[in-house]
Each structure stands twice: as C-alpha cells, then as structure tokens.
Amino acid sequence: MAGFRYEALEAHLRQKIQTGRFKAGEKLPSVRTLCQQHTLSKATVIHALQRLETEQLVYAIPKSGYFVTQPSVHRHRPEKVSTPSLPTQVNVPELFRDIMSRSAAFDILPTEGGAPASKHLQTLNRMISRAARSQPEQKANYYDEPSGQQGLRQAIVELYRQRDTALDADNLCITAGCQHALFLALMATCQMGDTVAVESPAFYGVLQQIEQMGLDVIEISSDPTTGIDLNELEEKTKRYPIKACVVTPNFNTPTGSKMSTNDMKQLVSIAKTNSFYIIEDDIYGELRFRNELCAPLKAFDHDQRVILCGSFSKCLSRELRIGWISGGHLQQKIIQLKLITQLASPRATQQGLTEFITTGHFKRYISQQRQLLKNQRDEWLNEISANWGDLVRFSRPNGGLSCWVELPSHIDTQQSYKALIQEGIVLTPGALFSAQSLYKNHMRLSFSQPLTEHRRTALHLLFNTLLSAS
Amino acid sequence: MAGFRYEALEAHLRQKIQTGRFKAGEKLPSVRTLCQQHTLSKATVIHALQRLETEQLVYAIPKSGYFVTQPSVHRHRPEKVSTPSLPTQVNVPELFRDIMSRSAAFDILPTEGGAPASKHLQTLNRMISRAARSQPEQKANYYDEPSGQQGLRQAIVELYRQRDTALDADNLCITAGCQHALFLALMATCQMGDTVAVESPAFYGVLQQIEQMGLDVIEISSDPTTGIDLNELEEKTKRYPIKACVVTPNFNTPTGSKMSTNDMKQLVSIAKTNSFYIIEDDIYGELRFRNELCAPLKAFDHDQRVILCGSFSKCLSRELRIGWISGGHLQQKIIQLKLITQLASPRATQQGLTEFITTGHFKRYISQQRQLLKNQRDEWLNEISANWGDLVRFSRPNGGLSCWVELPSHIDTQQSYKALIQEGIVLTPGALFSAQSLYKNHMRLSFSQPLTEHRRTALHLLFNTLLSAS
C-alpha cells in the first residue's frame, strides 16, 4: 500500500544518513533540489525534513539549510567507575529555593543579563503605566473582581481561538502566573493523601507543590520527543487511585517533548474512562517554532476533565505575574481558591496587557520571539553537538525554552552544582525533575538567552566540570 | 489610695453623663475649660476624654469638641416576632464571592466611586512606572528573588521600628497581599484536620481559608472594644488541640477592637505555654487614629510563636497586591510555600513602593489618611447615632476601616442582602464573620469612604430596609 509521498522521501533520506552516505555535519541537498529530484511540492519536502528534524537525524540552520546531526550515541563513553556514596550536598527543596533565587536557571550565567529589551516590551510597560494612571483612586480603594478583568479574559480566549480551541471567558480566571494556576488546580482536585500522576521527568514546581500539599506522586515515563507514555499511564491507573494527572503536552520542561494529536485525544479518553482530572500546563504553548497550531489538550476535552493552566511569564515577561486557569465545572471552586490565596489581581497590569494583545503587539512580539528562540536553540545545540556530541545525548525541541541533556551514567550533575555556583554558573540538575531521585546524570539546559562569548565559555566550563567528575 | 489624676476627671464626667446631667448629643466643656476647672494639664484632660471615647460615652468632632453619645441601649427595641424559617438566600461561600466581586464591601455604594486620588497615589504610580522602565529585559527574563526585594523588606522593617518593634529583613518575605500571607501562615502551621482558634467575630477571608484547607475552627468570643477573651481562649486550649490562633490585635475587622498591651503579652504567654502559633493579621496596624504606637503582638514575641502578616492594601492601595510575612524559625518553610504558590513578586511594584516609603511619601500620606478616616468614622457614626441610635449598637474603633453594628435580635441581615443589591447597595452581613452562623443581626459597616449625599441616602435605605424587616 502506497504511503504518503513525504514518507518515501523521509525513508530515502533516513537510509542515506544511517548508512553514512550523508555524513555527520554534512549539508543535505536544498529544498529546491529535493523538489526537483523527487518531483515533490515544497510543502511535502519540508514536511519530510521536519519529521527527520523531530527524530533528530537532521537539524536546521536558518537561511542555510538542513544538516546531518552528530550521532547521539556514546561512542567514547567513559567507563563506569564506582563512586563512593557521597552525601548529597544540597537537598531538592533547598536546590529549588536556590535555583529560584537565581532566577529559575533559564540562564547558565545570570550575571550576563538579558538580551537588550525589545521595543515591544517597552510598549507593554507604557501601556501598563497609562492604565495605572487612569482612575488611581478606584484602583486604590476597590479590589478587582475575583476572576480578573473581562477584557483580558476575552483576549486570552482569542489567543486560544487561533489555536483551534474554544474557551469561554466566563470560565477563565486570571491568576498570579502559571505556578499559582497549577496550585489552584491541585487544590481544586486533590486532598492530602491523594495520588497525582506526573510525567517523568516533570516540572520541579509541580513536584514541590505535590510534596508540600501532602499528596502522593506517581511518575510516568515520558519520551523526550513525544511525551508521556500512555500505556504506562493506563497500566498505572489500574494499580493506583489517580485523582489527577499533570501534563505539559506542548513543550514540556525539561525535555521540550510534544505530544501528538492522537496521543492527546487518547489521554483525554483515558482520563474520562478512569475518572481523573488532567491538569494541563500550557505555559509554553505560544513558544512554538514551527508552523503548527499546537492546540492544547483542552481542545479535545468534551467531558470537562481538563483544567487548563497558562501564563504570560515565559512568552512575554516574568514580571507580569499574570496567568490563567480554566477549569470547567470546577470553576466556582477555583475562583473561591483564588480568593482565599490572594483575593484579587492588579488591574493596571491586566488592562495594559489587554491593550498590548488587542492592538496586535503581542502577535508581532511572539512571532519575533519564536524565530529568535529557534535560532538560539540551534546555536546552543550545535555547540554541544560539536564539542561533546560523542559523550552526551540531548533533545531538540520544536518549542519552549530548554532541552534535556543526558550525560554518561556515572556522572551526578547535582554534585557539581555548588562548585559551578562558585564560578557564577547555574546548572539545573536532573534530580530536580523527579521525586524518586531519577536523572542523576541529566540536566536541563535553556536556550532562552543568546550564546554570547561569556556564555560559551561558561558552557565549556560547565561541561568540562561535569565530564571530568569521577 | 489615690489613683491617677485622669481617673478622677474620667469618673466625674462619667457620672454626669450617666445621671443625665450631660445629655445625649450635648457638647462637653472644652479641654481648656476642663483644665482650668480641675487644675489639670491638657494631656491629662485629653487622656481622660479619650478613655471615655473608648467606652463610647462620648465622641469627638474634629475642631469642635467632645459630645455625649446617644445611649446605645435598645430602648425602643421591637418585640421579637417569630419568623418562618426561610431558606437562606445565599450561602456564605457564595456571599464571600459576591462581596469580593463588589470590591469587598468597604463601600455600601460602590457606584459612587472612590474619593479623588491623592497626589501621593499619583506619585506612587509614577515611581512604579519609572521602575518598570529600568532594565525591562532583566525583569522580563528573570524571576525576582523568592523573598522579594531587599530594599522593600528593609523599608518595612523601618516602619515597624517606628512602632517599637524589631524585625529582621532577612526574616521577612514579600507576598501578594495579606490574604496570601495569612494563607502561607496557615499552610506553614497546620495540616488538614488540625484545629485553629479565631476571634469571633472573625475576618471572613480567614474563615474561608480554614474551610477550604479542611481545618477545624474554634471561635473565641471577642469584645468589640478590647478584643479576644483570653480566659475563654485559655479554657478552650485545655479542651481542644489548638495548632494556631489567628488574631488581629490592632483594629480587628469587623469590630475595630484593639487589644491592650497587657492582653497582648498574656496572649503570647498562653501560646508559649500551650505550644500553639499565633498568626497575627496586622493589615490595619498603620491605620491608627490616635497618637499611640500600636505595636504588634510580634513585638512581645520572644519565643518565635508569632507569625506576623501585613499588607499595603488597606493603608495605601489594593492595586499593589504587596504584603509581607515574618515567621521566625518557620521562615524557610514559608518561602518554600511562597514559591509553590506563585514563584515570585513583580519587581517594579516593589521598587516603586520602596522609593515611595524611603522618600517620606508614605509617612505623609498615611498621616493624612489617619485624620481623614477618623473624621469619616465620626461622620458615619454620628449619622447612625442621630437616626437609629435607640435601635442599634455599634463599635467606635480608634483605627481601621469599619465598625460593627448590632441590630435588634429578630433581624437577619443576610436576608436583606439580595434586595439591597437590587438598589446598588452592598450590605456586609454578620453571618460572614462566623463559622457557626452567629451574628445574624449584625453587619460590618465601613467608614472608608466619605459620607456623600448619595451614600447618606443609601445608608438610610439600608437601615430602613433592615429595620422594617419582620
């Protein structure tokens, strides 16, 4: 049976790469050449190339073309040496506080500072300031309505409409960021002693919430490219009384994995069959690098099983402290929980942000950001690939802010944390992303900052420190 | 044994009032006249008058003098009529959401809007905007440190130093308002099923937190003038395993009560003896109308038993969403809980606020506010006293934003809530302030807004509706 036309090209190129006809680092024929050679449309060729990119057989360099990836096998992996069982120097809650005190480690070298401010961010600040100046007496004397400003909720609904997702502004509540939204979602669905399933590796912020709330956690293996293992989830729902499952279908942190549409539909169906809630972390949903909608799980939720959580922190500014939550029939409870945790949100921030979105600034800004982040992803991963490609594996996400790096198995990334901090370098150890001390030889690495010369030096010091550890 | 000199004058004046020599509404001799008649210093005379004011035997009208209060007895109290047991029209959680959606009911007529903005508030907005414009790229890309900005923490420490209270900036954490601080304090001290003692009547925000967190609550009777009944608290600590006691020593909402220094010391001592924590809500601490320091309980805490919570929401602006918490040896846990609930606070707001405090604007603003609120208290209470003084009792707080009104016992204030909302009038029913459905014939009334003609009309409609209910 004939498959899709892109599949033939994909198989052809894969075979050439795997047999060494195209060598590591070599440039593939251009899109135009491939169109001519195989009599295919440009869209079909690009689709095939993007699939190979997802498989990490090739990578793209903007305005240049597709290149063959360094093989991600541990050809020269050092022998495993038995290490004395050293006491762990920092425990995970301490590490979490320390990482957060260093701005959450989306920058290995925070002293380097952020890239120059986009003019869009300056516009956003102007809009918020203007909103603060209007009716200051009202803002000082009255709290905002519990769900937040109607205008902002409608603007968020419109952002989701562009991702083929119908939300209701009356079923949306503004929060103080995604962490706050996730906390409300867990409070709304679970009580002390309940069991929560998470992807593994999982976002440390959620693991810390689960621990502090006295919940039990079940880790479900997740593929760094395609996300949560649904067979394992289904099997574990039979053994454990899972009340909620926290998942980031679009560009999970730390791996950057993205679930397929089919998997998303199946996950919603498993939740329905087994009567648990899905808490969807959509904080990276707008940071997609390819021309795809990246609809959230919520788009496939016909049974009010999905509680959607998001925020402008990663796609716009961490300073805003503005997120959202949409929880279906749990919404009244969620609003109650927002009230008990912080009463209300600042109106000027919401009003300025609404103006920023509705006047098209957000759309223009995010489109620049996507390109910028994609380029930075390639810069960082090419640097790693070129220098340590035979010793480490890493994910190559098509969205989000970070990738997942696996080092030789004898290395414990957490052991090097303190030594690197002395050099001003912040490493995000894999241990943060598990409740069971998994991922000792992993780390999250963010490409959210440009690879400046100082950061390149820091990256080399980081890898050299890790790889020289015995 | 001779008492203090002010005591003789106080007794003399009390006797004249109680025997009807000074009649309700009559002006007392001026301070100057009393000095001459009794050969006393001005300070002594004022002290005696203020004590009578606390007893509510007299009230002050600025620049005019002291007047005899309407006797607060129910001379013409309507006969208790048996009412059919009507279903309650709104339950307390719904009422809480509804009240919050109407800006927390510190205004019976929210459509009237706030008083014109003080120039200080405009200055505050300017300072925050300026802070937002500085290093926007840093603010967008990095989270603030978990405890909040050091400068703001130091400024708050200085505000407490002026109240004879030594805090440590390193033991202070910035929160998203006092509600957030109280939530962190309860999370840090209690687990589901634990027992919390509260003043009765109590702040509804805390009662809602206790309910949502699955805690048990013990209400301790509180005097509308002098606060929590320590004998009852001590007795109940013997019968119930109290983990924490939430108390507002300075100007409790709803009553406006203020604990004496002796009582505060005794409360800390009871907490120490019985090994429970005190969660101190100090949100009204800066809103003191008389020349007294109003030190918080924390000032007498030598055993790290007191978790101090406060905010700029009531004394400056609800828009800021900036509060604080100081929790002694629980501080690391509290910071962890701040992280899991919202990661960080906005830096521009903190920086602008720090500048506002350190340049003396806060001091000037709060001093104006105190005078303004004191005058408004008198305006509102005189209106009530003049019109319904023979039917109701009310507290006359020396700080805060509201007083507690007791209506004839057959009246259920909650029953009139919906009818009044139709008229745009927000009543804050007494039932909100108890977990046991006490205070059906009470309401909280705020004097935080000027008694404009519209508000006067609304107040009359409110009382007429309540008092005509059968």
Side-chain angles (χ1 to χ4, degrees), chain B residues 74-85:
Chain B
H74 296 190
R75 273 185 306 193
H76 304 295
R77 195 174 198 172
E79 289 291 302
K80 191 171 186 322
V81 277
S82 71
T83 50
S85 174

Side-chain angles (χ1 to χ4, degrees), chain A residues 78-84 410 469-470:
Chain A
E79 290 289 304
K80 190 173 189 317
V81 277
S82 72
T83 51
H410 73 279
S470 61

Side-chain angles (χ1 to χ4, degrees), chain A residues 107 114 142 208 319 336 348, chain B residues 107 114 138 142 208 319 336 348:
Chain A
D107 187 355
Y142 304 90
Q208 290 296 311
E319 175 77 353
Q336 193 82 3
Chain B
D107 187 355
Q138 290 295 105
Y142 304 90
Q208 290 296 310
E319 176 76 354
Q336 192 82 1

Side-chain angles (χ1 to χ4, degrees), chain B residues 40-268:
Chain B
L40 292 170
S41 74
K42 195 174 161 191
T44 303
V45 168
I46 288 176
H47 191 66
L49 288 167
Q50 285 181 342
R51 286 175 61 93
L52 292 171
E53 194 185 358
T54 302
E55 280 182 60
Q56 300 185 33
L57 286 171
V58 304
Y59 60 93
I61 296 184
K63 294 181 186 149
S64 183
Y66 283 83
F67 294 79
V68 179
T69 307
Q70 298 284 347
S72 301
V73 289
H74 296 190
R75 273 185 306 193
H76 304 295
R77 195 174 198 172
E79 289 291 302
K80 191 171 186 322
V81 277
S82 71
T83 50
S85 174
L86 293 170
T88 305
Q89 289 170 17
V90 275
N91 65 31
V92 169
E94 271 173 33
L95 196 57
F96 173 54
R97 280 201 300 278
D98 201 70
I99 287 272
M100 283 306 302
S101 76
R102 296 167 203 280
S103 318
F106 281 100
D107 187 355
I108 59 166
L109 196 66
T111 49
E112 184 78 340
S118 146
K119 67 174 169 44
H120 290 296
L121 280 185
Q122 292 162 353
T123 303
L124 174 61
N125 279 334
R126 253 199 322 274
M127 288 170 170
I128 294 172
S129 299
R130 193 157 58 215
R133 286 197 303 273
S134 88
Q135 297 198 292
E137 71 286 1
Q138 290 295 105
K139 297 195 173 81
N141 286 313
Y142 304 90
Y143 288 106
D144 184 36
E145 57 186 304
S147 296
Q149 299 272 295
Q150 178 72 11
L152 180 59
R153 287 185 273 134
Q154 275 164 346
I156 293 168
V157 166
E158 176 58 24
L159 290 177
Y160 278 103
R161 203 194 52 72
Q162 291 164 18
R163 291 166 68 191
D164 257 0
T165 308
L167 295 184
D168 176 0
D170 290 337
N171 210 296
L172 203 62
C173 177
I174 300 302
T175 66
C178 197
Q179 182 80 7
H180 188 210
L182 292 165
F183 183 73
L184 300 183
L186 281 171
M187 288 269 291
T189 52
C190 297
Q191 283 201 323
M192 193 169 74
D194 282 349
T195 301
V196 178
V198 297
E199 297 167 280
S200 184
F203 170 47
Y204 50 73
V206 166
L207 292 176
Q208 290 296 310
Q209 287 176 337
I210 289 170
E211 187 184 320
Q212 292 290 332
M213 292 170 71
L215 306 173
D216 290 337
V217 63
I218 299 289
E219 297 189 35
I220 311 290
S221 307
S222 288
D223 182 274
T225 306
T226 57
I228 191 164
D229 181 331
L230 294 177
N231 291 331
E232 187 178 323
L233 174 65
E234 207 157 13
E235 186 251 318
K236 286 191 172 162
T237 56
K238 293 186 178 39
R239 287 161 48 203
Y240 303 99
I242 291 172
K243 287 291 280 289
C245 176
V246 187
V247 64
T248 308
N250 287 305
F251 319 118
N252 170 47
T253 194
T255 63
S257 65
K258 181 176 180 341
M259 288 175 74
S260 69
T261 303
N262 273 344
D263 276 5
M264 285 165 89
K265 288 178 181 165
Q266 201 193 326
L267 173 55
V268 173

Side-chain angles (χ1 to χ4, degrees), chain B residues 391-405:
Chain B
L391 290 170
V392 305
R393 302 182 208 237
F394 50 85
S395 61
R396 183 180 288 275
N398 291 309
L401 294 179
S402 51
C403 68
W404 188 230
V405 181

Side-chain angles (χ1 to χ4, degrees), chain A residues 93 96-97 100-101 103-104 107 110 113-117 121 125 129 132 136-144 146 176 179-180 183 187 191-192 208-209 212 313-314 316-319 321 332 335-337 339-348 449 455, chain B residues 93 96-97 100-101 103-104 107 110 113-117 121 125 129 132 136-144 146 176 179-180 183 187 191-192 208-209 212 313-314 316-319 321 332 335-337 339-348 449 455:
Chain A
F96 173 54
R97 280 202 301 279
M100 284 306 303
S101 77
S103 319
D107 187 355
L121 280 184
N125 278 334
S129 299
E137 71 286 2
Q138 291 294 105
K139 297 195 174 78
N141 285 313
Y142 304 90
Y143 287 106
D144 184 35
Q179 182 79 8
H180 187 211
F183 183 74
M187 288 268 292
Q191 284 200 325
M192 192 169 75
Q208 290 296 311
Q209 287 176 337
Q212 292 291 332
S313 293
K314 299 295 194 290
L316 189 53
S317 169
R318 287 157 183 78
E319 175 77 353
R321 310 312 307 126
Q332 287 309 306
I335 293 170
Q336 193 82 3
L337 291 167
L339 281 171
I340 71 157
T341 51
Q342 73 158 46
L343 291 186
S345 309
R347 270 161 296 187
Q449 296 296 335
R455 286 206 186 87
Chain B
F96 173 54
R97 280 201 300 278
M100 283 306 302
S101 76
S103 318
D107 187 355
L121 280 185
N125 279 334
S129 299
E137 71 286 1
Q138 290 295 105
K139 297 195 173 81
N141 286 313
Y142 304 90
Y143 288 106
D144 184 36
Q179 182 80 7
H180 188 210
F183 183 73
M187 288 269 291
Q191 283 201 323
M192 193 169 74
Q208 290 296 310
Q209 287 176 337
Q212 292 290 332
S313 293
K314 300 294 194 288
L316 188 54
S317 169
R318 287 154 184 79
E319 176 76 354
R321 311 311 307 125
Q332 287 308 307
I335 293 169
Q336 192 82 1
L337 291 167
L339 282 171
I340 70 156
T341 51
Q342 72 156 46
L343 292 187
S345 310
R347 272 160 294 186
Q449 296 296 332
R455 286 206 185 86

